[in-house]
Amino acid sequence: MPEDGSSPVYLDGEEWQAYFRTFKHSAFRLEVHQTYTMPGEAEAVRAFLAGEPKPEDFNAPWHETIRVHAAAGRTMTRAKITRRPLTPYSRYLFEWCIPGNVAAGEDYQIVDLTDRPNPGLPEQDFWLFDETTVVHLNYRPNGTQINRELIQGPDIGKYLAWRDIALESAVPFSAYRT
């Protein structure tokens, strides 16, 4: 149920993709899960775990999206919560996904909670667009996405505080050692 008690608004397909084309200033993602089970990534994760080489054009469309935003002065930032030992999926992210995102211009931060308590971050993945629009990414315990829910009338201050806590607790991906 949405935070404000109204009917949920779920985003999919073109309606969801539009958020990544139309944000004006910033897009921030908090990633809290250690495993994501996304059908579109299944083959890539399988190949990574099998020790196959990363394809040369791996994630090229997403990298182009990041480059276009970076060139226009728009920021894309993520804060990824991790715990060691890294899950196989997190290893896949760290070796195949995140380096290309960073090279394309995404600011990827790591919040390692292995040896410290949670600094007050939620157990909820979300995107925050232009500090005004919040979309929850809802997952089952196994990392399978249930839906993407546009939060109507969000308490923006709460999401901004979570973003700030995450970034204050993080180190840049380039400085993180597993």
Side-chain angles (χ1 to χ4, degrees):
M1 180 63 90
E3 291 182 354
D4 69 355
S6 63
S7 297
V9 175
Y10 298 116
L11 302 172
D12 207 5
E14 176 57 31
E15 186 177 28
W16 168 238
Q17 293 303 315
Y19 282 88
F20 295 97
R21 288 191 307 277
T22 62
F23 73 87
K24 305 287 186 226
H25 307 287
S26 63
F28 169 82
R29 163 98 187 258
L30 179 66
E31 296 182 349
V32 303
H33 295 281
Q34 303 307 294
T35 298
Y36 294 93
T37 308
M38 306 298 289
E41 289 183 320
E43 179 55 29
V45 172
R46 185 213 56 76
F48 167 77
L49 294 174
E52 296 176 17
K54 179 171 67 171
E56 217 169 287
D57 64 346
F58 181 77
N59 229 358
W62 181 246
H63 296 159
E64 181 60 20
T65 297
I66 295 167
R67 279 192 288 277
V68 166
H69 287 301
R74 294 182 292 269
T75 62
M76 297 184 76
T77 306
R78 289 194 210 213
K80 168 73 177 139
I81 294 175
T82 61
R83 292 175 182 87
R84 286 172 274 150
L86 295 179
T87 63
Y89 184 86
S90 289
R91 289 189 356 259
Y92 157 75
L93 277 182
F94 278 57
E95 293 181 37
W96 275 28
C97 301
I98 299 173
N101 291 6
V102 170
E106 188 171 20
D107 179 11
Y108 222 109
Q109 302 286 316
I110 305 300
V111 181
D112 191 328
L113 298 181
T114 302
D115 298 321
R116 63 180 170 152
N118 184 322
L121 297 170
E123 293 293 323
Q124 175 68 56
D125 279 58
F126 65 87
W127 277 99
L128 173 63
F129 297 98
D130 293 326
E131 299 185 349
T132 60
T133 303
V134 176
V135 178
H136 280 187
L137 306 173
N138 299 314
Y139 295 91
R140 292 182 180 88
N142 73 353
T144 303
Q145 191 171 72
I146 300 167
N147 57 44
R148 297 173 207 92
E149 180 182 353
L150 177 65
I151 302 302
Q152 300 174 72
D155 176 353
I156 289 296
K158 177 173 67 174
Y159 290 93
L160 292 172
W162 284 335
R163 178 203 61 196
D164 293 348
I165 290 168
L167 295 176
E168 289 165 6
S169 304
V171 297
F173 173 73
S174 61
Y176 182 72
R177 303 292 174 246
T178 54

